[in-house]
Amino acid sequence: MALSGALRNAVGRTCGVTGLFVDRSSERLIIVNAVTAVLWLATGGVMALLIALTRWPAVHLISSPEWFYRLVSAHGAAMLVFWILFFEVAGLIFGGTILLNQPMVAPKVGWLAYGMMLFGSVAAAVVVLSGYATVMFTAYPPLEASHWFYLFILVFAVGALIAVIHFLVQITRARITGRIRTLPLFTFGLVVAAILALFTLASGTAALIPAWLARLGVIETADPGVYRLLFWGFGHGAQQVNLAAMVAIWYGLASLMVGARPINEGLSRLAFLLYVLFIQMGSMHHILVDPGLSHWARGINTSYFLYAAVMGSMIHAFTIPASVEVAQREKGHTGSLFAWLRNAPWGSPGFSAFALSFAMFGILGGISGVIMGGIQLNLIAHNTLIVPAHFHMTVVAGTTLAFMGISYYLVPLITRRDLFLPGWAKVQPYIFTTGMLIFGIAMGLAGHWGVPRRHWDISLSAYPFAAGTFDGPRIQMALAITALGATIAIIGGTMYVIIAAGTVFLGKRNDVPNIGHVDAGAFAPPAPAAPHVGRGFEAPGTMTLAMTWLALFVVLYAVSWYEFSSIQWGIR
Amino acid sequence: MIERSSTLVAPGARWWSPLGRDERLWFMVVLVWALAMFLMIFVIWPAIGDQQLTFSSYRTDTATFKAAVDASIAAHQVGELEGRPLVAPPPGDVYLLGERFQFTPALRLKKGETYRLLLSSSDVQHGLSIQPDNINFQVLPGYVSAITLTPKQDGEYTIVCNEYCGIGHHLMVGQIAVVP
Ligand SMILES: [Cu+2]
């Protein structure tokens, strides 16, 4: 049932740029969720700088181990959980209401979810920073955290669960009322993210409740092995939610920036479906070197049954750039193999953030994850710095940068204000990526050479027999470069926070906000594909890039096995 | 005629189309690579590798395990290393306990012999990280990991704890010396 014109004007407005209906409740909820997300990003970023400068042995900034471990605990929660989830809720509201031209089903539910998430996140952070839960983001029992910590995290998780269910109700209503038949691919990707989030948040709740009850003394203990299994259903599951949301944003930005139209809609949707069916199995790769599970269970799960979920990602890795290439070729950029790429709008932050996020995630994050997630190779990766190196390439260089990229458009359109400091926005993705690239490679090498994660002082100087284990020049150098990369990335992150917050609070009011270049085809109705002439590939440049990427993957995979085989211990 | 749609608008009624030439080739290549990785993990490496992650594990209670560690120390102690017992067990079962904030005992193993390392914790979770070879296992209280190890190179290996276990986590080390 479509809203009548008068009713639509009473509850919302029509966007001057996209022509989409913007419901007032959605608008307000998107703004508060996005602003809260950015504040968490800023908070986590300050902690990141302090941590990086402490892990640089020559500087070793924070002299109190107690404070270092508090900050690592809070940094993990602020970034991996709070920044990401508040932003994702903003994205879900956008994808479930505005993009589908419908008002929000139950704004009160949206506010309830936000209230619970806000209270839970702030209260949990206060508990951690006051030293009552110095247990890392993972809070493995039987480490002692205040029972309040578990309660506040649970309040947050239930709030997030409500927001996700609210989104799914929105989508269902749009289908039932016939407002929409097939979802736009962008929203389809968000639905996949939401389905994964249901499992993820349920698994986290199942892990935390026994841990909480054990701290309260209601039950005797929470089994540490079972906790790890359930916790990682949440901890890694959440990253798989991020993956699906990020891929949806890649598709969305590709359409927004160059009018990309997926070369095979069905294949792209199938790739998302592979995520729904198989990707949660990968959560088990956190417990590959744990006691408890059989070899078979660990192996079959972390190989995602024939790497079916990895295949999903590899399909996106081809179809997204191929769609960009085809769109660019249709615009006449056919001069050479890569003319389409050279003539892409690299000066628009939406395109550069998308392209850099895509490249960083695919090359560094994705390959490293598949390699270290295999049952054998995990032995030389588990709990070393290569683990945070990997997930900073996926969640930070990948997901966070994609979120930054889309918010350069979403925030002005929703707040009806011009983007603050658009010149900064042009260079911000490049600065951020440069820092993350340096950071990721250097920290990955330090981990490869054995440096442990979550460790205040690797000099090990308390015991002469152990001192000097990590004193070699290559490790010292790698950690110095890690801190340098982190600093550059944090400068890029700070620029983003200033631009985003500046737009919301200081941007010039404008009913048709200036958001820079947007492709004319971004919101155009479906149309026949241009006939493909000749017998060559439709996207030869993408095919070349994809094959090169796969060759790199094969080489890195082979090198990892070689390194593994050279361990001077027989192990069974 | 195949329709294509921006990802920001709903596609038309017929959005499924057969795979084109580009997609078919890439899909086949990806399938082959996924299969290759799967075979490497389940068939090839199990047949040829010296390092396997097939270790078994069982549940225990911390008091029982600690008693077994103490008995092993009493039977095979040969000295002391900076405040912790140094144990030289014969090939067979070797006990190693993670407790805040040290690995007990220090071990002296013989190159080329095969040992079954029985690994557990008496308090919280720890991480056994053998350096410089970079071999890493998770250590859980209430569970014993039984890992069969054959050192092939003599030398002194440092054990570092790489799972956060409390305020003294960075002090937590141990040693395995492999003698010819
Ligand atoms: Cu420890």
Side-chain angles (χ1 to χ4, degrees):
Chain A
M1 183 180 66
L3 288 178
S4 71
L7 187 55
R8 283 173 76 100
N9 290 338
V11 297
R13 63 183 170 91
T14 300
C15 175
V17 178
T18 60
L20 293 165
F21 171 66
V22 183
D23 158 60
R24 199 156 293 135
S25 304
S26 306
E27 184 181 271
R28 289 198 196 110
L29 271 165
I30 289 173
I31 293 172
V32 292
N33 275 288
V35 168
T36 312
V38 170
L39 290 176
W40 277 120
L41 180 70
T43 311
V46 172
M47 297 169 186
L49 186 64
L50 298 172
I51 293 165
L53 292 177
T54 304
R55 295 231 53 178
W56 178 359
V59 175
H60 208 241
L61 182 67
I62 294 175
S63 54
S64 146
E66 166 68 37
W67 265 104
F68 174 77
Y69 292 127
R70 272 188 214 182
L71 286 168
V72 179
S73 304
H75 169 73
M79 295 302 220
L80 275 172
V81 188
F82 304 153
W83 141 248
I84 292 279
L85 272 162
F86 277 108
F87 194 92
E88 276 169 356
V89 169
L92 289 182
I93 297 170
F94 174 74
T97 60
I98 295 173
L99 208 56
L100 301 184
N101 273 305
Q102 64 171 348
M104 194 171 251
V105 173
K108 286 207 175 91
V109 174
W111 285 104
L112 171 71
Y114 173 75
M116 289 177 75
M117 289 171 67
L118 182 67
F119 171 76
S121 59
V122 172
V126 168
V127 171
V128 170
L129 287 175
S130 340
Y132 293 101
T134 309
V135 292
M136 301 293 131
F137 153 69
T138 44
Y140 294 135
L143 270 181
E144 305 84 354
S146 156
H147 63 86
W148 291 107
F149 171 75
Y150 297 102
L151 179 66
F152 294 146
I153 293 284
L154 281 166
V155 169
F156 176 87
V158 173
L161 201 53
I162 292 172
V164 169
I165 292 169
H166 190 207
F167 165 75
L168 290 171
V169 170
Q170 294 279 147
I171 298 291
T172 312
R173 185 186 60 165
R175 288 301 303 265
I176 290 172
T177 58
R179 188 182 300 282
I180 194 131
R181 290 173 57 87
T182 307
L183 293 170
L185 187 61
F186 174 78
T187 310
F188 182 81
L190 292 183
V191 172
V192 168
I195 292 169
L196 296 176
L198 286 182
F199 173 92
T200 292
L201 291 166
S203 189
T205 309
L208 288 170
I209 286 177
W212 178 47
L213 294 178
R215 288 302 298 158
L216 283 173
V218 177
I219 58 173
E220 207 176 312
T221 51
D223 185 286
V226 174
Y227 177 91
R228 282 173 62 81
L229 178 69
L230 291 170
F231 178 85
W232 285 114
F234 159 73
H236 203 90
Q239 309 323 316
Q240 291 157 177
V241 175
N242 300 341
L243 169 70
M246 173 186 69
V247 173
I249 290 172
W250 287 346
Y251 276 110
L253 283 174
S255 289
L256 193 68
M257 290 292 108
V258 299
R261 300 181 298 163
I263 55 169
N264 191 305
E265 186 88 29
L267 186 63
S268 294
R269 284 170 195 247
L270 175 74
F272 272 120
L273 193 65
L274 289 174
Y275 286 168
V276 175
L277 295 176
F278 295 103
I279 206 163
Q280 299 290 15
M281 304 174 79
S283 300
M284 224 179 248
H285 63 223
H286 284 263
I287 52 178
L288 286 173
V289 295
D290 278 32
L293 292 163
S294 75
H295 174 245
W296 190 85
R298 289 178 284 144
I300 198 74
N301 275 286
T302 53
S303 63
Y304 306 91
F305 273 126
L306 285 164
Y307 285 101
V310 177
M311 282 170 56
S313 282
M314 292 203 279
I315 290 171
H316 292 308
F318 182 81
T319 59
I320 295 174
S323 313
V324 171
E325 177 171 358
V326 169
Q328 288 285 87
R329 285 178 181 275
E330 282 172 3
K331 289 182 177 33
H333 301 301
T334 53
S336 64
L337 192 58
F338 295 117
W340 60 278
L341 196 55
R342 252 201 329 277
N343 290 297
W346 291 101
S348 294
F351 187 85
S352 58
F354 146 65
L356 294 170
S357 156
F358 180 88
M360 293 286 282
F361 187 98
I363 297 170
L364 295 173
I367 292 178
S368 65
V370 174
I371 291 175
M372 75 175 67
I375 181 163
Q376 294 94 355
L377 295 179
N378 189 253
L379 183 80
I380 53 172
H382 180 74
N383 274 358
T384 69
L385 274 183
I386 206 165
V387 175
H390 154 70
F391 72 71
H392 280 79
M393 294 302 96
T394 57
V395 188
V396 189
T399 305
T400 295
L401 184 57
F403 286 5
M404 290 170 170
I406 200 168
S407 55
Y408 289 137
Y409 301 85
L410 205 50
V411 173
L413 288 177
I414 299 297
T415 56
R416 278 177 284 172
R417 289 169 183 271
D418 285 342
L419 190 66
F420 188 63
L421 299 174
W424 281 29
K426 274 190 204 311
V427 294
Q428 187 274 337
Y430 296 97
I431 295 173
F432 188 68
T433 302
T434 304
M436 288 314 294
L437 183 67
I438 295 169
F439 172 84
I441 291 175
M443 183 153 75
L445 284 171
H448 180 69
W449 294 322
V451 178
R453 66 186 291 198
R454 297 171 164 178
H455 202 282
W456 176 66
D457 178 19
I458 58 165
S459 74
L460 309 180
S461 51
Y463 295 97
F465 73 80
T469 300
F470 299 115
D471 280 359
R474 62 180 190 180
I475 287 177
Q476 298 293 310
M477 180 72 84
L479 291 168
I481 296 172
T482 304
L484 172 76
T487 308
I488 296 171
I490 290 162
I491 291 169
T494 308
M495 291 171 72
Y496 168 75
V497 171
I498 292 171
I499 298 165
T503 305
V504 174
F505 298 111
L506 305 170
K508 188 166 147 274
R509 284 189 181 280
N510 189 345
D511 271 353
V512 188
N514 179 12
I515 54 170
H517 157 87
V518 168
D519 193 89
F523 294 93
H532 175 50
V533 284
R535 284 181 300 156
F537 288 116
E538 199 177 351
T542 299
M543 189 61 81
T544 309
L545 291 176
M547 290 295 178
T548 310
W549 172 80
L550 190 63
L552 177 70
F553 193 162
V554 174
V555 168
L556 290 174
Y557 195 67
V559 168
S560 303
W561 278 104
Y562 173 75
E563 290 277 335
F564 180 65
S565 69
S566 57
I567 291 177
Q568 292 300 313
W569 294 71
I571 303 169
R572 294 235 158 226
Chain B
M1 193 90 235
I2 303 165
E3 269 194 349
R4 285 180 180 165
S5 164
S6 160
T7 64
L8 298 171
V9 302
R14 248 194 82 242
W15 51 262
W16 174 263
S17 59
L19 296 185
R21 187 165 169 238
D22 297 41
E23 301 99 277
R24 265 204 315 276
L25 173 68
W26 180 248
F27 190 79
M28 289 315 295
V29 168
V30 160
L31 197 64
V32 168
W33 176 234
L35 201 62
M37 290 194 296
F38 188 76
L39 289 177
M40 186 67 189
I41 285 178
F42 276 95
V43 180
I44 301 171
W45 192 255
I48 64 170
D50 270 349
Q51 303 86 8
Q52 304 294 345
L53 267 275
T54 50
F55 69 98
S56 60
S57 59
Y58 55 90
R59 281 181 195 269
T60 184
D61 67 88
T62 50
T64 311
F65 188 79
K66 207 161 185 330
V69 175
D70 289 340
S72 165
I73 292 171
H76 307 297
Q77 181 165 3
V78 292
E80 219 173 83
L81 177 72
E82 291 169 28
R84 72 197 75 198
L86 174 63
V87 169
D93 286 356
V94 176
Y95 288 85
L96 187 60
L97 175 73
E99 57 184 341
R100 295 199 264 197
F101 294 104
Q102 67 174 18
F103 285 99
T104 316
L107 295 171
R108 183 185 293 167
L109 307 181
K110 278 195 90 128
K111 177 180 160 182
E113 298 288 354
T114 295
Y115 301 86
R116 191 168 80 127
L117 182 71
L118 298 167
L119 177 67
S120 189
S121 162
S122 64
D123 41 47
V124 297
Q125 307 195 14
H126 299 284
L128 175 92
S129 182
I130 302 174
Q131 298 298 337
D133 273 30
N134 200 16
I135 297 170
N136 304 284
F137 285 99
Q138 188 77 12
V139 188
L140 302 189
Y143 291 84
V144 179
S145 302
I147 305 156
T148 303
L149 289 176
T150 311
K152 294 190 279 192
Q153 180 89 55
D154 54 296
E156 287 180 357
Y157 297 85
T158 302
I159 302 173
V160 180
C161 178
N162 69 4
E163 183 58 75
Y164 173 76
C165 54
I167 193 67
H169 165 54
H170 47 274
L171 302 172
M172 181 159 172
V173 290
Q175 195 196 50
I176 303 178
V178 176
V179 296

